[in-house]
PDB file of all heavy atoms in Angstrom:
ATOM      1  N   PHE L 107      80.150 110.440 185.036  1.00 95.00           N
ATOM      2  CA  PHE L 107      78.754 110.295 185.561  1.00 95.00           C
ATOM      3  C   PHE L 107      77.823 111.179 184.745  1.00 95.00           C
ATOM      4  O   PHE L 107      77.821 112.334 184.920  1.00 95.00           O
ATOM      5  CB  PHE L 107      78.522 110.491 187.003  1.00 95.00           C
ATOM      6  CG  PHE L 107      77.182 110.282 187.479  1.00 95.00           C
ATOM      7  CD1 PHE L 107      76.604 109.038 187.486  1.00 95.00           C
ATOM      8  CD2 PHE L 107      76.367 111.337 187.845  1.00 95.00           C
ATOM      9  CE1 PHE L 107      75.226 108.902 187.801  1.00 95.00           C
ATOM     10  CE2 PHE L 107      75.116 111.201 188.208  1.00 95.00           C
ATOM     11  CZ  PHE L 107      74.475 109.865 188.155  1.00 95.00           C
ATOM     12  N   LYS L 108      76.893 110.453 183.936  1.00 94.00           N
ATOM     13  CA  LYS L 108      75.953 111.340 183.077  1.00 94.00           C
ATOM     14  C   LYS L 108      74.703 110.663 183.192  1.00 94.00           C
ATOM     15  O   LYS L 108      73.811 110.760 182.331  1.00 94.00           O
ATOM     16  CB  LYS L 108      76.446 111.142 181.582  1.00 94.00           C
ATOM     17  CG  LYS L 108      77.842 111.712 181.261  1.00 94.00           C
ATOM     18  CD  LYS L 108      78.341 111.159 180.010  1.00 94.00           C
ATOM     19  CE  LYS L 108      79.827 111.671 179.874  1.00 94.00           C
ATOM     20  NZ  LYS L 108      80.500 111.026 178.810  1.00 94.00           N
ATOM     21  N   GLY L 109      74.362 110.118 184.370  1.00 93.00           N
ATOM     22  CA  GLY L 109      73.125 109.321 184.517  1.00 93.00           C
ATOM     23  C   GLY L 109      72.102 110.036 185.254  1.00 93.00           C
ATOM     24  O   GLY L 109      71.943 111.287 185.141  1.00 93.00           O
ATOM     25  N   THR L 110      71.125 109.280 185.827  1.00 95.00           N
ATOM     26  CA  THR L 110      69.947 109.789 186.466  1.00 95.00           C
ATOM     27  C   THR L 110      70.100 109.671 187.952  1.00 95.00           C
ATOM     28  O   THR L 110      70.321 108.635 188.464  1.00 95.00           O
ATOM     29  CB  THR L 110      68.734 109.025 185.894  1.00 95.00           C
ATOM     30  OG1 THR L 110      68.664 109.115 184.498  1.00 95.00           O
ATOM     31  CG2 THR L 110      67.419 109.639 186.422  1.00 95.00           C
ATOM     32  N   LEU L 111      69.722 110.746 188.599  1.00 96.00           N
ATOM     33  CA  LEU L 111      69.961 110.836 190.079  1.00 96.00           C
ATOM     34  C   LEU L 111      68.683 111.241 190.783  1.00 96.00           C
ATOM     35  O   LEU L 111      68.060 112.177 190.456  1.00 96.00           O
ATOM     36  CB  LEU L 111      71.054 111.875 190.409  1.00 96.00           C
ATOM     37  CG  LEU L 111      71.661 111.923 191.741  1.00 96.00           C
ATOM     38  CD1 LEU L 111      72.295 110.566 192.110  1.00 96.00           C
ATOM     39  CD2 LEU L 111      72.561 113.037 191.821  1.00 96.00           C
ATOM     40  N   ILE L 112      68.321 110.294 191.774  1.00 96.00           N
ATOM     41  CA  ILE L 112      67.119 110.804 192.632  1.00 96.00           C
ATOM     42  C   ILE L 112      67.795 111.044 194.059  1.00 96.00           C
ATOM     43  O   ILE L 112      68.494 110.217 194.617  1.00 96.00           O
ATOM     44  CB  ILE L 112      66.115 109.669 192.757  1.00 96.00           C
ATOM     45  CG1 ILE L 112      65.453 109.453 191.364  1.00 96.00           C
ATOM     46  CG2 ILE L 112      65.039 110.032 193.730  1.00 96.00           C
ATOM     47  CD1 ILE L 112      64.355 108.368 191.345  1.00 96.00           C
ATOM     48  N   ILE L 113      67.504 112.283 194.500  1.00 96.00           N
ATOM     49  CA  ILE L 113      68.051 112.706 195.742  1.00 96.00           C
ATOM     50  C   ILE L 113      66.990 112.757 196.895  1.00 96.00           C
ATOM     51  O   ILE L 113      66.081 113.587 196.742  1.00 96.00           O
ATOM     52  CB  ILE L 113      68.747 114.055 195.717  1.00 96.00           C
ATOM     53  CG1 ILE L 113      69.751 114.092 194.543  1.00 96.00           C
ATOM     54  CG2 ILE L 113      69.482 114.426 196.971  1.00 96.00           C
ATOM     55  CD1 ILE L 113      70.315 115.443 194.236  1.00 96.00           C
ATOM     56  N   ASP L 114      67.111 111.877 197.803  1.00 96.00           N
ATOM     57  CA  ASP L 114      66.155 111.790 198.871  1.00 96.00           C
ATOM     58  C   ASP L 114      66.607 112.905 199.871  1.00 96.00           C
ATOM     59  O   ASP L 114      67.726 113.004 200.372  1.00 96.00           O
ATOM     60  CB  ASP L 114      66.306 110.380 199.557  1.00 96.00           C
ATOM     61  CG  ASP L 114      65.889 110.385 200.944  1.00 96.00           C
ATOM     62  OD1 ASP L 114      64.830 110.883 201.400  1.00 96.00           O
ATOM     63  OD2 ASP L 114      66.615 109.680 201.802  1.00 96.00           O
ATOM     64  N   VAL L 115      65.644 113.697 200.253  1.00 96.00           N
ATOM     65  CA  VAL L 115      65.979 114.844 201.128  1.00 96.00           C
ATOM     66  C   VAL L 115      65.244 114.597 202.500  1.00 96.00           C
ATOM     67  O   VAL L 115      64.082 114.621 202.590  1.00 96.00           O
ATOM     68  CB  VAL L 115      65.470 116.269 200.564  1.00 96.00           C
ATOM     69  CG1 VAL L 115      65.675 117.273 201.571  1.00 96.00           C
ATOM     70  CG2 VAL L 115      66.102 116.528 199.216  1.00 96.00           C
ATOM     71  N   THR L 116      66.135 114.365 203.562  1.00 95.00           N
ATOM     72  CA  THR L 116      65.672 114.352 204.944  1.00 95.00           C
ATOM     73  C   THR L 116      66.331 115.590 205.477  1.00 95.00           C
ATOM     74  O   THR L 116      67.564 115.618 205.615  1.00 95.00           O
ATOM     75  CB  THR L 116      66.133 113.089 205.636  1.00 95.00           C
ATOM     76  OG1 THR L 116      65.624 111.910 204.989  1.00 95.00           O
ATOM     77  CG2 THR L 116      65.813 113.117 207.109  1.00 95.00           C
TER      78      THR L 116
END
Side-chain angles (χ1 to χ4, degrees):
Chain L
F107 178 68
K108 300 162 186 169
T110 305
L111 189 62
I112 297 181
I113 307 171
D114 157 46
V115 177
T116 299

